[in-house]
Coordinates of all heavy atoms in Angstrom, one line a residue:
E6 N -1.9 -26.3 -7.6 CA -2.5 -26.4 -6.3 C -3.5 -25.2 -6.1 O -4.6 -25.3 -5.5 CB -1.5 -26.3 -5.2 CG -1.1 -27.7 -4.7 CD 0.2 -27.6 -3.8 OE1 1.1 -27.0 -4.3 OE2 0.1 -28.2 -2.7
Q24 N -8.9 -9.7 -7.3 CA -8.4 -11.0 -7.0 C -7.6 -11.6 -8.2 O -8.1 -12.2 -9.1 CB -9.6 -12.0 -6.6 CG -10.2 -11.6 -5.3 CD -11.4 -12.4 -4.9 OE1 -12.0 -13.0 -5.8 NE2 -11.7 -12.5 -3.6
T32 N 8.3 -15.8 -7.9 CA 7.8 -14.4 -7.6 C 7.6 -14.2 -6.1 O 7.9 -13.2 -5.5 CB 6.5 -14.1 -8.4 OG1 6.8 -14.3 -9.8 CG2 6.1 -12.7 -8.2
P53 N -4.7 -11.9 1.9 CA -3.9 -13.1 1.7 C -4.4 -14.1 0.6 O -3.6 -14.9 0.1 CB -3.9 -13.8 3.0 CG -5.2 -13.3 3.6 CD -5.4 -11.9 3.2
G56 N -3.3 -17.8 -0.2 CA -2.3 -18.0 0.8 C -0.9 -18.2 0.2 O 0.1 -18.5 0.9
A90 N 2.4 -25.1 6.6 CA 3.4 -24.4 7.5 C 3.0 -24.7 8.9 O 2.7 -23.9 9.7 CB 3.3 -22.9 7.2
L115 N 4.6 -4.7 7.0 CA 3.5 -5.0 6.1 C 4.0 -5.6 4.8 O 4.9 -5.0 4.2 CB 2.7 -3.7 5.9 CG 1.4 -3.7 5.1 CD1 0.5 -2.5 5.5 CD2 1.5 -3.8 3.6
P120 N -4.9 -5.5 -3.2 CA -6.0 -5.3 -4.2 C -5.8 -4.0 -4.9 O -5.7 -2.9 -4.3 CB -7.2 -5.4 -3.3 CG -6.8 -5.3 -1.9 CD -5.3 -5.5 -1.8
V149 N 1.1 2.7 -10.4 CA 0.9 3.2 -9.1 C 2.3 3.2 -8.3 O 2.6 4.1 -7.5 CB -0.2 2.4 -8.3 CG1 -0.2 2.8 -6.9 CG2 -1.5 2.6 -9.0
G159 N 8.6 15.5 -11.4 CA 8.2 14.7 -12.6 C 6.7 14.6 -12.7 O 6.0 15.0 -11.8
Y162 N 4.9 12.3 -10.1 CA 4.9 12.8 -8.7 C 3.5 13.5 -8.4 O 3.1 14.3 -9.2 CB 6.0 13.8 -8.5 CG 6.2 14.4 -7.1 CD1 6.7 13.6 -6.1 CD2 5.8 15.7 -6.8 CE1 6.9 14.1 -4.8 CE2 6.0 16.2 -5.5 CZ 6.5 15.4 -4.6 OH 6.7 15.9 -3.3
A175 N 10.2 5.7 0.2 CA 9.8 4.6 -0.7 C 10.7 4.5 -1.9 O 11.2 5.5 -2.4 CB 8.3 4.8 -1.2
F186 N 0.4 -14.4 -12.5 CA -0.9 -14.3 -11.8 C -1.9 -15.2 -12.4 O -1.9 -15.4 -13.6 CB -1.5 -12.9 -11.9 CG -0.6 -11.8 -11.2 CD1 0.3 -11.1 -11.9 CD2 -0.8 -11.5 -9.9 CE1 1.0 -10.1 -11.3 CE2 -0.1 -10.5 -9.3 CZ 0.8 -9.8 -10.0
V197 N 7.2 -2.1 -4.3 CA 7.6 -0.9 -3.7 C 8.1 -1.2 -2.3 O 7.3 -1.9 -1.5 CB 6.5 0.2 -3.6 CG1 6.9 1.4 -2.8 CG2 6.1 0.6 -5.0
W233 N -8.3 26.4 0.1 CA -7.8 26.0 1.4 C -7.5 27.2 2.3 O -7.8 27.2 3.5 CB -6.6 25.1 1.3 CG -5.8 24.8 2.5 CD1 -6.1 24.0 3.5 CD2 -4.6 25.5 2.9 NE1 -5.2 24.1 4.5 CE2 -4.2 25.0 4.2 CE3 -3.7 26.4 2.3 CZ2 -3.0 25.3 4.8 CZ3 -2.6 26.8 3.0 CH2 -2.2 26.3 4.2
A234 N -6.8 28.2 1.7 CA -6.4 29.4 2.5 C -7.5 30.4 2.8 O -7.4 31.1 3.7 CB -5.2 30.1 1.7
A252 N 4.0 31.3 -7.6 CA 3.8 30.9 -9.0 C 4.3 29.5 -9.3 O 4.1 28.9 -10.4 CB 4.5 31.8 -10.0
E256 N 3.8 20.1 -8.0 CA 4.7 19.0 -8.3 C 6.2 19.4 -8.0 O 7.0 18.5 -8.1 CB 4.5 18.5 -9.7 CG 4.9 19.6 -10.7 CD 4.1 19.4 -12.0 OE1 2.9 19.3 -11.9 OE2 4.7 19.4 -13.1
E257 N 6.4 20.7 -7.8 CA 7.8 21.1 -7.5 C 8.2 21.0 -6.0 O 9.3 21.1 -5.6 CB 8.0 22.6 -7.9 CG 7.8 22.8 -9.4 CD 7.7 24.3 -9.8 OE1 8.5 25.1 -9.3 OE2 6.7 24.6 -10.5
L264 N 4.9 20.8 4.5 CA 4.7 21.0 5.9 C 4.9 22.4 6.3 O 4.2 22.9 7.2 CB 5.8 20.1 6.7 CG 5.4 18.6 6.7 CD1 6.6 17.7 7.1 CD2 4.3 18.4 7.8
S268 N 2.1 24.8 8.1 CA 2.4 25.5 9.4 C 2.3 27.0 9.4 O 2.3 27.7 10.4 CB 3.8 25.0 9.9 OG 4.8 25.7 9.1

Side-chain angles (χ1 to χ4, degrees):
E6 266 170 310
Q24 291 176 337
T32 302
L115 185 156
V149 173
Y162 184 73
F186 296 93
V197 175
W233 166 76
E256 67 210 49
E257 296 167 48
L264 281 163
S268 74

